[in-house]
Amino acid sequence: MRAHAVSPLLLYVAFSSTPATAAEYAWPTTYGAYVSAYFDNGGTTDWQCGGRSYSGHKGTDIAGEPRNTPVYAGSAGAVIRRYDGFSDGYWGNWDGGGFGNHVALYHSDGHTTIYGHLNAWSGLPDLYEEIECLDAIGGIGTSGNSTGLHLHFEVRVGTDGVYYYSGSADDPFTGACSGPVSHWVDQNVGTPTQTCGDGTIIPPDFCDGKMNGLWCDGDDLVDCLAGDVSTREPCDHGCASMPLGVPDQCNAGPAEFCDGLMDGLWCDGDDLVLCDDDLTASSETCADGCQSMPLGVPDQCAEDTTCVGLMNGLWCDGDDLVDCLNDDVVSRQTCDAGCTAMPLGVPDECAPVPGDDACLIEGVGDSPTAPESACNFMDWEMSPDGYYLISRFGTDTDPTTWGHTSTCGYLQGHYDTFGCRYDYQTGACVDYDDQIPWVQGHVDWISQDMFDANAAYYPGNVPHPEYFYVAGAQRFGCGATLRVSNPETGDCVVVYAEDGGPGQTYEGPGYGGRRILDASPAVSDYLQIDQWGWLNADTVYVEWGLPGDVPGEACGTCESTPADDASAGSLTPWDPNHMQFGVDCR
Amino acid sequence: MTRDGACFQTVPGNPSAARAKWRLTPGAQMISRTVRALLLAALAGCKPQYAIDNIDAWEGWQPHTADEDTLRVAASLPDLATFHRDVALLCPPFGPERNFGDGCEIALLSDGIFVPTGRNGLMAAWRFDDDRVLTLDAGLDLALDDLDGTRTVIARGALDPRVADDGHRAVFSQLESGASIAELGESAFLTLYDFETQTLERITDDPRDSAPWLVPGSSDVLFTSARTGIASLWLASGDGAVRQLTNIGLQTMGPSFVPVPSRELVFLPESRIAVFSAHYGTHELWSVDLDSGTTENIGPGRLVALHPDGGVVAVHDDDPSVGRQVVRYSVSL
């Protein structure tokens, strides 16, 4: 809530007498927005060492939301500058010092935050007004030196509390290529939350970033309208998620079994159901199945006659191993790998299980859509948590790895000091290797276009629209089979990584390598890019593929439990929630 | 100023109010109505007054004119950023990512079509009255470009330049540091360059001033400023005096707010009335009398230009249900 305005002098005195604390800011607009350009840490390097910035950019550009989307104060503070009334800007426009319509807040920790390019007449606060954290202070616009709707959020440290532009700008994100301090209360890896320093939290609205229509939220059916929850209705029998483009819906309740049946006992599969007045009065599961009887005779539970006439002991009954005693079944066990009949006098037994995990395989075959230049040999091993596969990349000296005569599959850089590379045959550590189980990125059309354009400048290079560039992602191994999923829809598709190498065919200098994914029509169609586009949900999750994954097809189900929510957005290669260490060579 | 019958009249020699009356009329009808209006005005004994002290200063004046067809072609250009006389500046959609790539490219009007020149990497381009173009490149160098390829840098750290219609001067914002990268918040000052004396002169000393325009026939500079906290139009005289023209006394935005220009503004012939397009999500044309401060909302439009036959012409395409229209507004002074 807004409080009264104060005089500049009182403002200065009040804030000057307050001990400086760590700067802590909440995400200054709605959750549906995304960072279009980060702070430039030099050489157009963003906080996570990517190139999502531009030269001299001293703020964080937040885009993706319509005009007049609310802009919130990142923290409590006082308005030391507010300019209003400028029109939409353009490249090079210097209205309001390039900020166009803007608000500057001075905070008790001696920092200033600037909110630039606001829309005119969008509810800017009064000069010297005191503002609380997450108070609305304007709406997103494109005034000043701006080429599209976005918010310029700038943090300035070491300010004098009087002049809005005193001190120096600082990157609010902490990362490998930025400062050690995050200015966000909750950086949440790379997607800060609306969390204030006093713990006030505005959680993401369920409908943030979702198209209008009906969506399942657990067992609730939610009607989303313009990013807000219009209605929420609990489903009696659960909610059914439907394919994209089809509204989700509540499950229909099960049909009443007894409806239309005479009163009495009836078989329903293996259940014996007592019907009364067309309703189920009681139900019992029969251990040995339910036996339907002639009309007029109540159905009944069947007796297991497997052991009748057999000697006492273990006998196969299909894939079941049955323990017989005096013609009765003592126990019945289903064998995972089938039941093996043994010679008479020798008890039958379950066949041995070839591995503890059905996902375990030794390699992934060549992608059917891989280009000729792609190599595709990796060894795989399940991580101890049973969720992620650990990949091992071949070297020309590692005989345990497929394709060892080439270095094409070797994962360069990013060495993980926590683990070692696993020798599949000996179970010993060969050497230390990078194991990146999970990364996050977004399909970056701008960079994609740039790569295509760059190709024209390098003799022999050609554009490659058949690949996506995934910004913000770490390097993948050449030919790596990967799963790319849209976290909003849950759609997931298998792709392979193609690699040109820095400065090579697909990449501009300084942009790293191996972030390029198959964009074949099969992949594009599956992700339904033409329907929901990348702009609304351009974050994709990229993780190693699993055994049996085929590029261009939907992700399979060969996985166990998902990682917990707290780590869902992790970019850290060695996040213990994704990779568990302490086990010998994993 | 006295009111005489049905028309407004200015006192000769007094650089004050020439009052504009606007009326949107369909193409051909507009001409006849304008002629008729002028005839009626003459018969009534009241004629347009040209409130300019130094009429000689209009010699060589090259206004930005366009007929309907030309404007229609210009508006259909993908990525059109500005259009001045026969020079169009085409900028790819940078989007909020602000990936400027090769910057903007000049296209020249020839036989009714705009032909890309390959001259790119630019932020701004304004046509002189000869074969020269005032250009601003991505490194913030302001230069005079001959179309034969000769390029003469006249200022560094420049932003948002405009050339005077007499071709003798240019005005722009200039970063105090003269840097080649514009970091938001850096102070910049309005600067004038005289091509005859080849000198730079600071127009005002307030970094809150921006978007300058030279007023034809005078040494005045019209500009936007947020000195009051609200963006308003201001006028700087050659003697250094400045005065606020619009939104006087306004502390916060309200219904009485008068918009400020975006990138498009023309001065009516031999007057001190500017017509500009204001972009606030949609595009509206406004007029302002620099002497009286009188303003008027004319109607929707962007890419405003003087029409060769009088009045102004603009593009109206804010209503997707209607599509793109070229509209003309008549004016009687």
Side-chain angles (χ1 to χ4, degrees), chain B residues 65-85:
Chain B
T65 60
D67 57 23
E68 290 93 333
D69 290 341
T70 300
L71 205 59
R72 190 172 289 109
V73 172
S76 68
L77 290 173
D79 312 329
L80 177 70
T82 60
F83 167 42
H84 186 233
R85 299 182 193 164

Side-chain angles (χ1 to χ4, degrees), chain A residues 54 85 88 95 147 165 446, chain B residues 95 97-99 184 210 279-280:
Chain A
Y54 57 88
D88 289 355
D95 289 343
T147 59
Y165 206 62
I446 300 296
Chain B
E97 282 77 11
R98 301 165 69 80
N99 187 330
L184 297 183
S210 60
H279 299 185
Y280 290 79

Side-chain angles (χ1 to χ4, degrees), chain B residues 246-259:
Chain B
T246 62
N247 302 325
I248 297 172
L250 201 61
Q251 297 298 313
T252 57
M253 297 287 290
S256 61
F257 172 75
V258 174

Side-chain angles (χ1 to χ4, degrees), chain A residues 28-279:
Chain A
T29 184
T30 57
Y31 280 108
Y34 69 96
V35 176
S36 59
Y38 291 105
F39 184 99
D40 177 16
N41 286 283
T44 64
T45 302
D46 63 39
W47 63 282
Q48 49 192 343
C49 306
R52 196 164 190 79
S53 184
Y54 57 88
S55 186
H57 190 221
K58 298 304 180 190
T60 301
D61 284 352
I62 303 171
E65 290 289 74
R67 187 182 294 270
N68 269 332
T69 295
V71 171
Y72 303 115
S75 178
V79 179
I80 58 172
R81 182 161 157 132
R82 53 96 68 201
Y83 283 0
D84 200 357
F86 288 114
S87 65
D88 289 355
Y90 45 85
W91 188 24
N93 176 286
W94 214 244
D95 289 343
F99 289 119
N101 305 307
H102 64 277
V103 169
L105 300 180
Y106 180 66
H107 305 285
S108 60
D109 55 12
H111 299 178
T112 296
T113 50
I114 302 172
Y115 308 80
H117 309 311
L118 302 178
N119 202 36
W121 204 357
S122 60
L124 276 63
D126 293 336
L127 193 62
Y128 307 129
E129 187 174 345
E130 288 186 64
I131 301 296
E132 296 297 326
C133 180
L134 292 179
D135 273 356
I137 56 172
I140 285 179
T142 180
S143 55
N145 187 14
S146 171
T147 59
L149 292 167
H150 75 283
L151 167 68
H152 175 98
F153 176 71
E154 181 167 327
V155 175
R156 299 192 70 83
V157 300
T159 63
D160 60 14
V162 178
Y163 181 49
Y164 87 112
Y165 206 62
S166 60
S168 59
D170 199 15
D171 192 337
F173 288 90
T174 183
C177 286
S178 60
V181 175
S182 173
H183 291 291
W184 303 109
V185 175
D186 176 18
Q187 181 167 316
N188 189 29
V189 185
T191 54
T193 62
Q194 289 181 354
T195 305
C196 294
D198 63 1
T200 302
I201 299 175
I202 298 180
D205 189 287
F206 173 76
C207 290
D208 279 335
K210 285 189 170 59
M211 291 187 294
N212 293 344
L214 297 171
W215 297 83
C216 284
D217 182 13
D219 284 340
D220 290 351
L221 185 63
V222 178
D223 189 1
C224 292
L225 183 63
D228 293 326
V229 174
S230 175
T231 62
R232 175 181 289 272
E233 168 197 352
C235 297
D236 293 337
H237 303 286
C239 193
S241 295
M242 306 300 285
L244 197 67
V246 180
D248 292 348
Q249 59 190 27
C250 287
N251 287 320
E256 173 53 56
F257 173 75
C258 291
D259 191 18
L261 296 180
M262 292 187 297
D263 291 353
L265 292 168
W266 294 86
C267 279
D268 179 13
D270 286 342
D271 292 345
L272 184 63
V273 178
L274 176 60
C275 292
D276 184 18
D277 273 349
D278 288 344
L279 295 175

Side-chain angles (χ1 to χ4, degrees), chain B residues 33-119:
Chain B
R33 289 186 182 180
T34 301
V35 172
R36 186 171 59 186
L38 291 172
L39 286 172
L40 290 174
L43 290 172
C46 48
K47 58 183 181 180
Q49 298 298 316
Y50 308 134
I52 300 299
D53 283 329
N54 180 12
I55 198 69
D56 293 337
W58 289 93
E59 292 180 1
W61 186 58
Q62 297 286 327
H64 169 42
T65 60
D67 57 23
E68 290 93 333
D69 290 341
T70 300
L71 205 59
R72 190 172 289 109
V73 172
S76 68
L77 290 173
D79 312 329
L80 177 70
T82 60
F83 167 42
H84 186 233
R85 299 182 193 164
D86 63 344
V87 169
L89 188 68
L90 309 179
C91 299
F94 306 129
E97 282 77 11
R98 301 165 69 80
N99 187 330
F100 300 119
D102 291 333
C104 309
E105 179 182 9
I106 288 177
L108 288 177
L109 180 64
S110 176
D111 295 330
I113 61 173
F114 287 87
V115 180
T117 63
R119 177 77 176 88

